[in-house]
Amino acid sequence: MYEKEIEELQKIIDDSSRIVFFGGAGVSTESGIPDFRSADGIYHQQYKYSPEQVVSHSFFMQHTEAFYDFYKEKMMILDAKPNPAHYKLAELEQAGKLTAVVTQNIDGLHQAAGSRTVYELHGSIHRNYCMECGRFYDAEYVKKTSGIPRCECGGVIKPDVVLYEEGLDPKTIQGAVEAIAAADTLIIGGTSLVVYPAAGFIDYFGGKHLVVINKSETAKTVRAELSIAAPIGEIFSKIKAV
């Protein structure tokens, strides 16, 4: 299955030397991390508050304990392991084919698989800082703390993730945009291209090959040379990096 598409993707990769991968939640669902927008995703489950409310800056400030109840249960999946898509991207980077991963995910699985140049547009669950003194805390500390995680100084610890109502980090934006603009091939995978401003970043691509690998159609219309409606790990497991 997908033999023709995989063969075509392999030819594109062989023809490329500056691949950038732009990915979303669909990359990590094969690692057991729930996405937000699919039929069985977080947005379609019933909670007292909508997920959009909970993961907003104002909700975090006003209902910090309720935020952490949801965040720890639904967004901190610390036992998740990288899947074939993560490992193949790391291989492509080591082979000198891929220059950067631009991800909307906050799980750190690209780094766990060995990827070095990763632009995390929405931050990471693995970085957490005291709002008073700026001290760093890892994900294990936050996950294991009952209620609101606090610093030794007494301050509230906030995850370094971009909540609704918050802006993206300027340095991350710059790095991601420059990488996409310099790419000869852009592979978009596991994202419906719904979330802005992240989805708009692909407009900076002006290279040779544009590929989309996603189980469902993307919301943003892209003129892809190759579109594969399949799980990305399944496709990438058949690709040779060298």
Side-chain angles (χ1 to χ4, degrees), residues 163-182:
L163 304 176
Y164 285 110
E165 305 163 355
E166 295 179 345
L168 305 189
D169 175 66
K171 284 186 179 177
T172 305
I173 291 173
Q174 184 178 352
V177 166
E178 287 177 356
I180 291 169

Side-chain angles (χ1 to χ4, degrees), residues 123-165:
S124 173
I125 61 170
H126 297 285
R127 300 188 297 269
N128 305 273
Y129 299 96
C130 172
M131 295 176 73
E132 295 294 327
C133 71
R135 181 172 176 169
F136 169 84
Y137 288 88
D138 64 16
E140 289 284 350
Y141 179 88
V142 171
K143 181 87 169 178
K144 289 177 179 176
T145 304
S146 61
I148 301 170
R150 291 187 178 273
C151 177
E152 287 182 6
C153 78
V156 172
I157 295 169
K158 183 179 183 297
D160 185 20
V161 298
V162 179
L163 304 176
Y164 285 110
E165 305 163 355

Side-chain angles (χ1 to χ4, degrees), residues 29 32-54 69-75 77:
T29 51
I33 294 179
D35 68 356
F36 273 64
R37 289 180 172 80
S38 68
D40 55 354
I42 288 172
Y43 278 179
H44 292 272
Q45 298 174 27
Q46 296 299 313
Y47 299 103
K48 184 179 177 183
Y49 304 99
S50 74
E52 290 102 329
Q53 277 181 290
V54 177
D69 288 344
F70 176 91
Y71 178 76
K72 286 186 231 181
E73 181 190 353
K74 295 295 179 183
M75 300 177 76
I77 318 295

Side-chain angles (χ1 to χ4, degrees), residues 97-227:
K97 286 279 187 182
L98 182 137
T99 56
V101 169
V102 180
T103 181
Q104 299 172 79
N105 297 338
I106 60 174
D107 50 49
L109 291 180
H110 286 293
Q111 291 92 330
S115 288
R116 292 172 179 269
T117 304
V118 182
Y119 296 104
E120 297 174 305
L121 298 180
H122 297 152
S124 173
I125 61 170
H126 297 285
R127 300 188 297 269
N128 305 273
Y129 299 96
C130 172
M131 295 176 73
E132 295 294 327
C133 71
R135 181 172 176 169
F136 169 84
Y137 288 88
D138 64 16
E140 289 284 350
Y141 179 88
V142 171
K143 181 87 169 178
K144 289 177 179 176
T145 304
S146 61
I148 301 170
R150 291 187 178 273
C151 177
E152 287 182 6
C153 78
V156 172
I157 295 169
K158 183 179 183 297
D160 185 20
V161 298
V162 179
L163 304 176
Y164 285 110
E165 305 163 355
E166 295 179 345
L168 305 189
D169 175 66
K171 284 186 179 177
T172 305
I173 291 173
Q174 184 178 352
V177 166
E178 287 177 356
I180 291 169
D184 57 8
T185 294
L186 179 63
I187 301 175
I188 300 167
T191 175
S192 54
L193 296 178
V194 168
V195 178
Y196 280 81
F201 283 28
I202 65 170
D203 294 336
Y204 290 94
F205 176 68
K208 190 174 180 183
H209 303 292
L210 178 58
V211 177
V212 174
I213 307 169
N214 196 49
K215 287 199 287 186
S216 59
E217 282 190 29
T218 58
K220 184 180 174 68
T221 302
V222 294
R223 293 175 182 169
E225 172 184 345
L226 174 64
S227 292

